């Protein structure tokens, strides 16, 4: 009976160790990608969106600026960029074989 419990505990900690490592790698990769995209991609996307906003009539521009619609669009676009990048990174992380 003690051998069964010992085997179960040993396998549980082995699986937990492997899952904790993968989970930590995914969290750190996503945080790093979010930070880098915030510093590099967000200003370019914001300038791109503001270029289109400057072509609108002044009345619509005033209303959309008052409700911060341009910031809303930039946040949505940057979230989509981070999501696509994190999928690529997490796919490459999930292809790393677990330690034997």
């Amino acid at each position: 009976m003690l051998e069964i419990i010992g085997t179960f505990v040993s396998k549980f900690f082995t699986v937990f160790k492997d899952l904790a490592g993968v989970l930590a790698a995914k969290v750190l990769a996503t945080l790093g990608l979010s930070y880098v995209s915030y510093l590099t991609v967000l200003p370019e996307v914001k300038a791109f969106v503001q270029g289109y906003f400057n072509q609108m009539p002044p009345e619509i521009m005033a209303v959309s600026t008052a409700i911060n619609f341009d910031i809303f669009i930039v946040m949505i676009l940057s979230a989509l960029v981070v999501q696509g990048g994190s999928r690529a990174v997490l796919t490459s992380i999930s292809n790393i074989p677990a330690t034997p």
Side-chain angles (χ1 to χ4, degrees):
M1 182 66 172
L2 290 175
E3 291 178 15
I4 294 173
I5 293 173
T7 305
F8 174 74
V9 169
S10 173
K11 289 186 188 254
F12 174 76
F13 282 117
T14 302
V15 170
F16 180 73
K17 181 182 71 171
D18 291 341
L19 289 178
V22 171
L23 182 63
K26 287 183 179 184
V27 167
L28 290 175
T30 303
L31 287 175
L33 187 63
S34 299
Y35 182 71
V36 168
S37 68
Y38 175 76
L39 292 180
T40 59
V41 176
L42 186 63
E44 294 180 19
V45 171
K46 188 174 182 179
F48 176 75
V49 170
Q50 285 179 345
Y52 279 103
F53 268 93
N54 291 335
Q55 298 173 0
M56 295 191 322
E59 297 84 15
I60 296 175
M61 182 71 170
V63 170
S64 65
T65 304
I67 62 173
N68 290 331
F69 188 70
D70 55 344
I71 303 298
F72 169 74
I73 295 297
V74 168
M75 289 176 64
I76 295 298
L77 290 176
S78 66
L80 290 173
V81 167
V82 169
Q83 182 183 21
S86 67
R87 281 186 182 169
V89 169
L90 295 179
T91 300
S92 65
I93 288 175
S94 66
N95 291 334
I96 297 173
T99 57

